[in-house]
Amino acid sequence: MSGSTPYYVTTPIYYVNDKPHIGHAYTSLACDALARFMRLDGRNVKFLTGTDEHGQKMEKAAQAAGMETQAFVDMNSENFRILTKTMGFTNDDFIRTTEPRHRAAVQALWRELKARDQIYLGTYAGWYSIRDEAFYTESELTQGPDGSRIAPSGAEVEWVEEPSYFFKLSEWQDRLLRFYDENPDFVAPPTRRNEVISFVKGGLLDLSVSRTSFRWGIPVPDDADHVMYVWLDALTNYMTAVGYPDSGSDGFTTFWPADLHMVGKDILRFHAVYWPAFLLAAGVAPPKRVFAHGWWTNEGKKISKSLGNIIDPLELTARYGLDQVRYFLLREVPFGNDGDFSHRAMIGRIDGDLANDFGNLAQRSLSMINKNCEARMPEPGEFTAADKKLLAAAGGLLGEMRALFAAQSFHKALIAMWVVIGDANRYIDEMAPWALRKSDPARMATVLYVVAETIRHLAILAQPVMPGAGARMLDQLAVAEDARTFAHLSPDHALTPGTPLPKPEGVFPRFVVDG
Ligand code: MSP
């Protein structure tokens, strides 16, 4: 892999006050699909995920559970590690903010900011939301029914007044605006970019970056009365994992700045305003891109613990299958938009796109080869214009999908694949190889070969989103395991006639309602 272009993609690190749900699985899934895509495309990938374990919210949650805080975060962090296994995520590292390597990185960043005169001691007097771990100004708040104040996220806030260190965020307004201007792809999608720019244009206040009223955090160097603001602590994880503060290390020189921080829209401000400001102030390059995706609702309702409608990714994959869930989440909603989860929509995709379209394409053509070509890859004759057209459509997919994955347009990349799946199914209907069996077996062999070669392309390209199904299809085509990367999507790696094939099995069954 050395010599290949690096690609560093990160998920947010998840709060461990709760069990993982579909929202967490979604953010990480998008990163996993990207990581797999880039690896298959020959990039040197680092894919990071992990857990965010400090702060008042964690301390309170542990108290509520009657547990010692470290034991509580250990237990819940493990659930996120299990999620990565259940969802088939291929992260190269799993970082926890309670690890010594991370404490060292955060304290080093603090020292750097201090040395550059970017941090000063004062007193914070204002509103704070423990649920969001965020400070709010009076003007951002609304009145709740009982007179309490509510943050834009719907979370309650409380008044905080305590000694605090501040980061000189106000000094970075112009520099940030220039940075957005010079880096038009830094925030995506464009609507989110506009939101970020107008927030920064509205003026920035200095940011409180330490707390003194609780202990569960990383101590401020040389002033142990303070623990660091959990967002300064958490954001730094992206650098810890590549070796910061050793900025000469292989990891750091190879992977920093990160290619992409994937986040939900709720945490965009932290990633697209505070984080690049901290980094610019510390003399470190900001990440290349932050993509803010939308939120899922469940059958039209906001997903929340109090409504009791949390979707458990483990239950979902057990019921529908892992590849099916992965496909649904990335296909159903234009990436970046909000979306609604419903069982009806899920089953519609499984029976329609997967079973009827893709599954049937593979099943019917491989069964015909099995029956009519002695279970060997048929030998093609000369290609007709129709054959060449289908092969060219399959051959053109990689270029199209590469551009769409680079833009995080997963749904469009899948739609592009389904255009070729539709073309291939129509080609079979028109060529009617079953009718050629007696009349022109040589032509039948060519048609089945063209379809098999198209399926080979589709299966290789399906792997980032549906690794299991893609692999099973490639097994059925007897494609060697070391011949499944995007480098093999060229005519000189085409299927070898005469290769014995295993007995075909359906890859995408229709969903059977149980009970
Ligand atoms: N700990 C912070 C992130 C720190 S990153 C330096 C955090 N954690 S979180 O566990 O609350 O959320 C993590 C991610 O899950 C966010 O990207 C958030 O948008 C996503 N989701 C949580 N609920 C969601 C939905 N209902 N739908 C889609 N994604 C959602 O924030």
Side-chain angles (χ1 to χ4, degrees):
M1 273 292 160
S2 62
S4 60
T5 320
Y7 184 79
Y8 181 25
V9 57
T10 67
T11 77
I13 46 172
Y14 300 104
Y15 286 132
V16 288
N17 58 317
D18 240 331
K19 284 219 302 207
H21 67 67
I22 195 74
H24 309 121
Y26 185 54
T27 315
S28 295
L29 169 61
C31 296
D32 184 63
L34 274 166
R36 287 176 183 268
F37 190 96
M38 298 300 172
R39 277 189 210 108
L40 288 167
D41 211 10
R43 305 276 298 262
N44 176 15
V45 171
K46 182 164 177 87
F47 167 22
L48 176 69
T49 189
T51 45
D52 186 355
E53 306 187 1
H54 287 132
Q56 212 171 354
K57 169 156 139 161
M58 251 24 81
E59 196 176 77
K60 277 185 75 170
Q63 277 161 8
M67 289 178 77
E68 191 253 323
T69 316
Q70 186 65 56
F72 176 78
V73 301
D74 287 348
M75 176 182 83
N76 282 341
S77 175
E78 196 49 34
N79 290 329
F80 283 90
R81 212 183 272 271
I82 292 169
L83 178 75
T84 65
K85 301 281 171 295
T86 316
M87 296 295 298
F89 296 152
T90 54
N91 50 297
D92 302 287
D93 194 353
F94 186 99
I95 191 163
R96 301 183 54 189
T97 54
T98 48
E99 289 173 276
R101 61 170 171 163
H102 181 64
R103 170 192 281 242
V106 176
Q107 291 188 330
L109 179 61
W110 179 284
R111 285 202 173 92
E112 191 63 42
L113 291 168
K114 196 87 203 303
R116 290 168 178 253
D117 194 27
Q118 294 295 320
I119 286 179
Y120 62 92
L121 185 61
T123 302
Y124 180 74
W127 299 102
Y128 191 77
S129 157
I130 297 181
R131 198 181 86 188
D132 299 347
E133 296 283 20
F135 302 94
Y136 290 104
T137 58
E138 184 79 43
S139 63
E140 288 177 289
L141 306 175
T142 50
Q143 285 281 350
D146 54 353
S148 62
R149 284 182 169 74
I150 309 288
S153 62
E156 286 208 3
V157 293
E158 60 180 34
W159 185 257
V160 169
E161 206 163 324
E162 61 189 35
S164 170
Y165 283 95
F166 286 83
F167 168 67
K168 293 181 178 170
L169 182 63
S170 60
E171 292 186 358
W172 291 91
Q173 179 175 358
D174 292 344
R175 182 67 189 86
L176 280 172
L177 289 171
R178 192 150 36 96
F179 175 73
Y180 305 139
D181 202 41
E182 288 163 357
N183 298 279
D185 295 329
F186 174 66
V187 184
T191 48
R192 300 286 170 212
R193 170 182 154 83
N194 295 339
E195 279 172 28
V196 166
I197 292 176
S198 65
F199 173 74
V200 174
K201 279 192 174 151
L204 297 174
L205 301 173
D206 287 350
L207 183 69
S208 164
V209 285
S210 75
R211 303 287 311 271
T212 38
S213 50
F214 64 93
R215 305 300 323 140
W216 186 246
I218 297 182
V220 164
D222 309 318
D223 192 348
D225 290 345
H226 293 250
V227 294
M228 276 184 235
Y229 175 38
V230 65
W231 271 100
L232 172 57
D233 164 347
L235 287 161
T236 307
N237 91 85
Y238 303 131
M239 291 208 296
T240 307
V242 290
Y244 187 83
D246 185 355
S247 49
S249 64
D250 276 0
F252 202 79
T253 53
T254 306
F255 292 113
W256 197 263
D259 290 271
L260 178 69
H261 293 325
M262 182 67 76
V263 300
K265 62 180 182 179
D266 53 318
I267 55 173
L268 180 58
R269 189 182 295 182
F270 302 97
H271 285 83
V273 181
Y274 302 161
W275 183 226
F278 294 150
L279 292 173
L280 289 168
V284 179
K288 294 182 197 156
R289 184 170 166 93
V290 177
F291 190 104
H293 67 66
W295 271 45
W296 286 89
T297 49
N298 183 0
E299 310 275 354
K301 295 210 177 59
K302 185 174 184 315
I303 298 177
S304 85
K305 231 187 356 185
S306 47
L307 288 176
N309 65 349
I310 300 261
I311 303 171
D312 178 350
L314 309 193
E315 278 171 28
L316 207 61
T317 52
R319 177 156 186 204
Y320 294 114
L322 176 57
D323 286 313
Q324 285 80 350
V325 170
R326 290 176 59 116
Y327 173 77
F328 173 82
L329 292 174
L330 293 179
R331 171 62 186 83
E332 183 68 7
V333 176
F335 199 69
N337 293 5
D338 290 337
D340 186 42
F341 177 87
S342 80
H343 289 280
R344 231 182 95 155
M346 177 92 210
I347 294 169
R349 292 279 173 206
I350 291 178
D351 288 352
D353 302 6
L354 297 181
N356 289 351
D357 300 344
F358 199 8
N360 192 32
L361 170 66
Q363 181 65 11
R364 62 175 172 158
S365 37
L366 290 168
S367 309
M368 272 186 272
I369 294 176
N370 186 63
K371 265 200 237 123
N372 304 322
C373 309
E374 295 164 346
R376 283 173 189 279
M377 187 54 62
E379 171 91 47
E382 195 135 334
F383 293 137
T384 65
D387 303 346
K388 287 184 191 153
K389 193 168 161 216
L390 183 60
L391 291 171
L397 263 180
L398 172 61
E400 220 178 317
M401 288 177 71
R402 202 180 259 147
L404 292 167
F405 265 75
Q408 290 81 48
S409 291
F410 305 109
H411 65 294
K412 285 192 189 160
L414 291 167
I415 290 171
M417 275 186 65
W418 258 255
V419 168
V420 176
I421 290 171
D423 289 347
N425 273 320
R426 270 187 303 277
Y427 170 89
I428 301 184
D429 294 344
E430 278 160 25
M431 298 300 152
W434 49 88
L436 296 168
R437 195 166 61 92
K438 290 234 166 71
S439 62
D440 190 349
R443 178 63 195 150
M444 177 196 73
T446 307
V447 167
L448 290 176
Y449 181 87
V450 168
V451 177
E453 184 53 18
T454 304
I455 296 172
R456 185 182 73 92
H457 277 71
L458 291 165
I460 287 179
L461 289 163
Q463 295 176 103
V465 174
M466 296 183 286
R472 280 200 300 283
M473 277 190 194
L474 292 165
D475 289 345
Q476 298 194 21
L477 290 169
V479 173
E481 291 203 8
D482 60 1
R484 298 178 175 190
T485 73
F486 296 165
H488 299 91
L489 290 175
S490 66
D492 37 308
H493 290 97
L495 292 161
T496 312
T499 310
L501 302 177
K503 197 171 161 42
E505 281 166 22
V507 169
F508 293 118
R510 292 180 71 82
F511 181 74
V512 181
V513 183
D514 46 278

